[in-house]
């Protein structure tokens, strides 16, 4: 079994190879959060996922102190075909970033980056081309580097554009819960207009296509 320290080192090596913040750098962003961030954690009514999800949340944000709060809720009308649980990030993101499934491994680091943005622990550089985009996009993802990069650049858009939204769906969680993925490749974005785009962005300009196409 891989030790936590080795796992952290491997994730850091992968993140740095892609020019993304390391695990320690993300830790510091979480510690530097200036705004309180509320994460609404939702499961189906009567679900068995609540305890596992809360344990994961405590692990991901153990360095945040009282800056990050987790509000556990249940939903009688769970959307068909979506994995549990649902994480909705408040703060500066105003619940415009959501994730269905478990944010594990590299996907967990991308999720922590979203919380850092929400709490102003990380302020991505603002590209003026992003400021006026709007609409709800979906991203089908797995806990791998291309999907982490897709979320990283998408967060630049969400930080600049108050009317842009992104919902991430972890298809590994779908598989483990007996759900069939509607896509064959990841990262796959569904634009606000319903167009499917298979895209591994390497810049903000690349991911901006999702909201402007």
């Amino acid at each position: 079994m891989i030790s936590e320290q080795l796992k952290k080192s491997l994730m850091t090596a992968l993140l740095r190879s892609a020019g993304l913040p390391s695990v320690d750098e993300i830790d510091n962003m979480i510690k530097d959060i200036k705004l309180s961030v509320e994460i609404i954690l939702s499961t189906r009514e009567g679900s068995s996922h609540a305890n596992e999800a809360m344990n994961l949340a405590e692990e991901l944000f153990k360095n945040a102190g009282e800056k990050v709060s987790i509000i556990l809720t249940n939903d009688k009308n769970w959307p068909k075909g979506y994995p549990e649980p649902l994480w909705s990030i408040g703060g500066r993101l105003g619940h415009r970033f959501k994730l269905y499934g478990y944010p594990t491994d590299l996907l967990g680091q991308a999720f922590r980056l979203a919380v850092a943005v929400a709490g102003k622990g990380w302020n991505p550089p603002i590209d003026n081309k992003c400021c006026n985009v709007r609409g709800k996009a979906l991203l089908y993802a797995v806990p791998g580097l291309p999907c982490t990069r897709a979320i990283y650049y998408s967060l630049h858009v969400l930080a600049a554009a108050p009317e842009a939204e992104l919902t991430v769906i972890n298809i590994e969680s779908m598989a483990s819960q007996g759900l069939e993925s509607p896509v064959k490749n990841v990262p796959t974005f569904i634009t606000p207009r319903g167009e499917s785009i298979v895209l591994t962005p390497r810049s903000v300009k690349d991911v901006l296509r999702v909201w402007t196409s």
Side-chain angles (χ1 to χ4, degrees), residues 81-95:
Y82 280 53
E84 294 182 71
L86 166 62
W87 314 74
S88 179
I89 301 175
R92 181 168 59 156
L93 289 180
H95 300 286

Side-chain angles (χ1 to χ4, degrees), residues 5-113:
Q5 186 57 45
L6 179 56
K7 187 177 179 180
K8 178 180 176 180
S9 297
L10 289 172
M11 285 195 293
T12 287
L14 287 169
L15 291 166
R16 284 178 172 166
S17 72
L20 304 182
S22 69
V23 176
D24 284 340
E25 288 170 332
I26 298 172
D27 279 343
N28 288 333
M29 292 174 185
I30 297 297
K31 291 176 184 176
D32 287 342
I33 284 176
K34 299 170 182 63
L35 295 177
S36 295
V37 181
E38 177 185 86
I39 300 174
I40 298 177
L41 174 57
S42 302
T43 59
R44 294 176 189 266
E45 189 174 39
S47 170
S48 61
H49 287 276
N51 287 340
E52 183 179 355
M54 283 298 293
N55 289 338
L56 178 58
E58 290 174 3
E59 177 63 25
L60 290 173
F61 302 108
K62 59 187 177 183
N63 296 323
E66 297 181 355
K67 297 173 183 176
V68 176
S69 60
I70 312 295
I71 309 299
L72 184 61
T73 66
N74 58 64
D75 190 342
K76 296 179 181 179
N77 301 303
W78 195 265
K80 184 178 180 180
Y82 280 53
E84 294 182 71
L86 166 62
W87 314 74
S88 179
I89 301 175
R92 181 168 59 156
L93 289 180
H95 300 286
R96 293 180 293 111
F97 182 96
K98 298 178 174 69
L99 186 147
Y100 281 93
Y102 286 93
T104 54
D105 301 323
L106 287 174
L107 196 57
Q109 300 308 312
F111 182 69
R112 295 206 302 150
L113 278 172

Side-chain angles (χ1 to χ4, degrees), residues 113-129:
L113 278 172
V115 173
V117 170
K120 292 191 175 181
W122 176 43
N123 292 297
I126 298 298
D127 185 327
N128 290 333
K129 294 179 181 178

